[in-house]
Amino acid sequence: MNAGASGWVRDACAIVGIGETGYSKSSGMTTRALAGAAIRRAVADAGMRPADIDGLLSHGMNDSPVSNLVAADLGIRPNFFMDCVGGGASAEALVALAVGLIVTGQCRTVAVYRAMNGFSGTRTGGTNRNAIPVISGQDLYSRPFGWSSPAQTFAPCFMRHMHDFGTRSEQAAMVRVFQSEHAAKNPKALYRAPVTADDVLSSRMIATPLHLLDCCVETDSGTCLIITGREHAHDCRCHPVMIRSVLGRVCKPRNDLHFEWGPITESAAVYAKDRLWAQAGLGPDDVDVTAAYDAFTYTSLMLLEDYGFCAKGEGGGYVSDGRTRLGGSRPNNTSGGLLCEGYSNGMNLIIENVRQLRHDADDGCPIDSTGRRVHTHDHSAAGGCRQVQDAEVAANLAWGNPGMGSASVLVRG
Amino acid sequence: MADAPRYLGYELSIDPQDTASRDFFRFCREHQLHLQCCGSCSRLRYPPSPGCPFCGSDGYTWIPVDGSGVIHSYTEVHHAVSAPMKPFVPYVVAIVELANQRDDPAAGAAIRIPGNLVTADGNLNIGDLRWGIDSPVRIVFSDVSDEIAIPLWTPLEASRFIS
């Protein structure tokens, strides 16, 4: 199949419900309970009942309950349930599957969820329960070198990016700086204290060039999206957000250790870009707000380049000159993102963009007598507003590893 | 049954069905770098895999390859997440690019083999050796068992200095 929009069902489905349990280092709940809580909240947000859900899609890294168990906890008997293996870049993959289930009539309304005790349970970096060092299979080619965590294995991409393009750690640090400002306007965020570039650069080194504050922290959280067909979307409680385009999972021609297929300064996004925008009938210039996967400061930078928001090699300037800050021309990760709000393998980045497109960011702005939040669009520290004014188009740019990614374009319905 | 092979406190286990890994590490144990060469398009590939990523063919032979290259990129790890590596921080993981097959079959493609940067005798503490992106390196092997050695990289000038 050639890249292009042929056959894609633009705006056929909408995200009509979002649910979060909160982001913490200790949920005090099983992932099964977290999943149920997130789905209940998302269903209520959509103005539905659990029985209205007939599809469940989830992802995990052997750290999460299978969705038929979760379905029973909610009194749902699904027509389709599926649990896929994966972390980052999985949320959009499940959104893409949900669209397929709905437009082919296999399901009416699908819950996409992720439940993880990312801090108190299984750490992505291979500590805690995954720490037993028996190495076999593909891991024989990486783990004997003490090369296993995402920070360790992705870092050579960023080092080469600095070498080839002159990207500086001070520039990448601004991803964290701006997002910490955004998180200060987000009562749910795990890290709400503003940080400076010096704070990032003086934090301890993890794996060059990544300092501690260049890295997100795996988080305990349950998150859920409710997706239904366009014909039902306006019956729901909240303003619908249409799925304009989605690329489920795209990978480089080879992906074993991330570095077989260069340039290593490019992510798999370069294989997704043309199709994403062709399906959307839109381009980067049409986008009001981005959520570029920020497991690390540099991942956000590389993704924004690779999806065409700036030229290759100019990501350092793009993320540091103020454009991506609230009040800038195209804010990025307005919730504080994975770096500051919490890490949910990217589900919370989609949830935030849904809020933005509803014009209903849950910030500190006053709530009127009808219960509606009145946004001031004063993005100063004192103003506390994180709603992007008149946001109509949002892009989610996700990263699984340097060789695997996914993306979506969402529009206000 | 002999004890499981161990390297730096890691237990290594090659699945009996994983014949490609078995063969690769046996060649390493002979202190030779061998790579799979596709029986159809003749391209080399790493890490070992059952099918050719360039043409999809499943036939291959092992051929000896010169174990020298340059550092394409690297990271110096200061935070070891697994216990066996904690005594060695900071240590370096280098992505070493071989001269064979550079920009084949597409610009930016190359045979790239990650591994620790070590002294010529395999020490992870490389002290004040001078190296960086584009530095030439050569392969060295750390013996683990009769069947397995781990491939590592050492800076060329350093190896000359030590010998």
Side-chain angles (χ1 to χ4, degrees):
Chain A
M1 292 280 284
N2 291 325
S6 175
W8 164 245
V9 287
R10 190 179 290 169
D11 297 345
C13 297
I15 299 174
V16 296
I18 50 178
E20 303 159 280
T21 59
Y23 304 94
S24 75
K25 293 185 175 180
S26 179
S27 69
M29 301 165 75
T30 64
T31 51
R32 180 167 166 175
L34 279 173
I39 295 169
R40 279 189 198 93
R41 290 179 192 190
V43 166
D45 181 65
M48 294 181 173
R49 294 166 299 121
D52 294 326
I53 305 300
D54 65 349
L56 285 103
L57 301 172
S58 174
H59 70 95
M61 303 288 279
N62 201 27
D63 59 353
S64 192
V66 289
S67 50
N68 46 332
L69 299 183
V70 173
D73 293 341
L74 294 154
I76 296 169
R77 196 207 54 76
N79 292 319
F80 191 107
F81 69 90
M82 178 67 73
D83 304 282
C84 78
V85 175
S90 300
E92 286 77 7
L94 298 184
V95 169
L97 288 176
V99 170
L101 290 172
I102 291 164
V103 300
T104 56
Q106 297 180 74
C107 290
R108 176 183 157 121
T109 301
V110 176
V112 169
Y113 73 90
R114 171 77 169 117
M116 58 196 288
N117 279 328
F119 193 91
S120 65
T122 304
R123 299 293 298 267
T124 307
T127 52
N128 293 18
R129 291 206 303 252
N130 282 349
I132 308 304
V134 178
I135 300 175
S136 65
Q138 278 296 307
D139 289 345
L140 288 163
Y141 303 95
S142 53
R143 288 200 171 219
F145 310 127
W147 196 49
S148 58
S149 74
Q152 293 165 356
T153 54
F154 302 169
C157 291
F158 312 142
M159 290 298 285
R160 187 74 197 190
H161 199 281
M162 296 171 78
H163 177 267
D164 285 359
F165 303 116
T167 311
R168 303 192 313 276
S169 288
E170 293 86 336
Q171 295 175 312
M174 294 310 291
V175 174
R176 179 76 185 225
V177 171
F178 293 151
Q179 288 183 206
S180 74
E181 294 175 0
H182 301 171
K185 303 169 177 63
N186 178 0
K188 306 186 303 283
L190 188 56
Y191 296 103
R192 299 191 66 203
V195 302
T196 65
D198 280 347
D199 291 335
V200 178
L201 299 177
S202 62
S203 63
R204 68 187 168 91
M205 190 61 79
I206 300 298
T208 57
L210 296 168
H211 308 81
L212 180 69
L213 295 184
D214 284 307
C215 309
C216 74
V217 173
E218 306 102 299
T219 308
D220 292 6
S221 66
T223 44
C224 180
L225 308 169
I226 305 296
I227 298 172
T228 195
R230 170 171 46 197
E231 63 276 23
H232 308 303
H234 286 280
D235 300 335
C236 295
R237 195 178 68 84
C238 298
H239 198 98
V241 168
M242 313 310 292
I243 300 167
R244 172 58 58 95
S245 179
V246 63
L247 263 282
R249 271 185 189 168
V250 177
C251 61
K252 286 188 169 185
R254 199 172 184 202
N255 203 20
D256 302 47
L257 298 170
H258 318 321
F259 300 105
E260 295 80 10
W261 208 282
I264 71 167
T265 53
E266 286 182 349
S267 72
V270 299
Y271 296 93
K273 174 176 73 170
D274 291 345
R275 192 174 183 110
L276 179 77
W277 298 126
Q279 285 183 178
L282 298 169
D285 289 345
D286 300 309
V287 174
D288 300 310
V289 57
T290 58
Y293 202 88
D294 57 318
F296 304 98
T297 51
Y298 285 87
T299 55
S300 211
L301 183 161
M302 278 177 60
L303 288 164
L304 287 161
E305 290 179 348
D306 290 344
Y307 280 103
F309 287 93
C310 61
K312 190 66 199 172
E314 294 179 3
Y318 184 90
V319 300
S320 61
D321 68 7
R323 268 178 287 194
T324 56
R325 181 186 216 169
L326 275 169
S329 58
R330 190 180 300 113
N332 182 50
N333 289 331
T334 53
S335 67
L338 308 178
L339 287 166
C340 298
E341 185 183 49
Y343 179 74
S344 67
N345 286 141
M347 286 285 290
N348 55 328
L349 304 184
I350 299 177
I351 287 171
E352 172 68 3
N353 278 354
V354 169
R355 290 190 198 282
Q356 288 289 346
L357 295 174
R358 289 176 174 180
H359 300 170
D360 193 25
D362 49 349
D363 54 21
C365 286
I367 295 174
D368 70 14
S369 58
T370 67
R372 184 170 171 72
R373 200 178 300 274
V374 182
H375 287 287
T376 62
H377 305 294
D378 176 355
H379 302 307
S380 68
C385 181
R386 75 168 207 276
Q387 177 62 49
V388 176
Q389 192 157 18
D390 301 327
E392 293 289 328
V393 181
N396 276 81
L397 317 174
W399 166 292
N401 61 48
M404 183 179 81
S406 66
S408 64
V409 178
L410 306 177
V411 300
R412 182 175 166 85
Chain B
M1 179 99 185
D3 288 344
R6 299 187 74 85
Y7 172 71
L8 302 181
Y10 291 111
E11 184 179 326
L12 307 185
S13 170
I14 298 178
D15 188 321
Q17 294 160 324
D18 186 0
T19 54
S21 289
R22 178 198 64 198
D23 292 346
F24 175 78
F25 287 105
R26 277 185 183 163
F27 284 119
C28 287
R29 185 62 185 81
E30 294 165 20
H31 292 197
Q32 297 173 31
L33 176 62
H34 277 58
L35 296 179
Q36 289 166 299
C37 178
C38 177
S40 180
C41 74
S42 299
R43 290 192 176 90
L44 304 171
R45 61 181 188 261
Y46 181 90
S49 60
C52 174
F54 308 108
C55 76
S57 172
D58 64 355
Y60 64 85
T61 55
W62 291 97
I63 66 163
V65 173
D66 178 32
S68 61
V70 297
I71 296 175
H72 186 67
S73 193
Y74 67 92
T75 183
E76 184 181 70
V77 176
H78 290 250
H79 178 74
V81 295
S82 62
M85 296 307 287
K86 289 188 188 297
F88 299 107
V89 292
Y91 58 88
V92 177
V93 181
I95 311 296
V96 174
E97 183 170 297
L98 305 188
N100 318 52
Q101 232 170 269
R102 193 170 283 156
D103 292 327
D104 175 19
I111 303 291
R112 299 196 181 96
I113 305 181
N116 291 123
L117 203 60
V118 296
T119 62
D121 55 359
N123 194 328
L124 281 161
N125 180 358
I126 54 175
D128 53 3
L129 292 186
R130 294 177 61 186
W131 57 274
I133 287 178
D134 294 335
S135 289
V137 295
R138 69 172 172 86
I139 202 162
V140 293
F141 297 92
S142 181
D143 293 338
V144 173
S145 70
D146 290 345
E147 303 281 305
I148 299 174
I150 296 295
L152 305 163
W153 299 97
T154 196
L156 272 191
E157 290 179 4
S159 65
R160 280 204 300 273
F161 180 74
I162 286 172
S163 62

